[in-house]
Amino acid sequence: FFLRDEFNNAKIHKTFARKVKAILLAFGGTDSNNLTFKIFKKIYPYCVKNGIFVYVVSGSGYQYIEEFQRYLATLKPGNFEFVFCTGIMSKIMEKVQLGISSNGRTVYELGHMGIPGIVVSHHERENLHRFSSFENGFVNIGVFKSPETEEHVAVELRKLVEDDKLRTLLFHNTQKHDFSMNKTKVVEKIERLFQL
């Protein structure tokens, strides 16, 4: 996996945080199933009750943005931040203790940053990505199926927030990941091929 350059100088989580103060919600550039809205709506009351700030990140292809923003406008500000089309995902990840994401690039970024999380696949093809496993620091929910998925995510989030032993184990499982040199290693191998 090639990390984006913004992660080169990011502050990686190396110490387990006893309290979950903030989480990240990110479901890819298009989020065709509108998981951003559905899962945020399901978990937000729990997060407010437990003093957990929610960073929500969506990409330029998110077609439900107006509907989501109308909903956010009904909420009391101060417990969430909605970031559209960010180029600073690493800066947000530096602030969170858990992530909830789709089963793509973000999972690798979370693993590199030392952030355990919950993963939901948009479809069967995405579900073939095997990195999002317990051994790597993630609870994999599988392929999205509403409304069961939203409830499942809410249950798993409560477990991770309230069960220190489980979250500690997942956190330690993320600590073996460091993708910072992958791009350099591949470039060096390509250069060596041209030197033969």
Side-chain angles (χ1 to χ4, degrees), residues 100-111:
I100 304 174
S101 79
S102 52
N103 199 2
R105 179 182 68 190
T106 304
V107 181
Y108 290 92
E109 293 170 347
L110 289 167

Side-chain angles (χ1 to χ4, degrees), residues 62-80:
Y62 183 47
Q63 57 188 320
Y64 304 98
I65 185 170
E66 292 179 4
E67 176 189 8
F68 186 52
Q69 286 180 317
R70 280 195 299 271
Y71 173 73
L72 293 179
T74 68
L75 303 176
K76 181 181 177 182
N79 298 306
F80 66 88

Side-chain angles (χ1 to χ4, degrees), residues 35-53:
L35 295 176
T36 301
F37 189 4
K38 292 172 182 174
I39 290 178
F40 177 86
K41 197 172 181 181
K42 186 70 179 180
I43 67 170
Y44 186 66
Y46 175 81
C47 290
V48 171
K49 182 179 177 183
N50 289 276
I52 301 169
F53 193 90

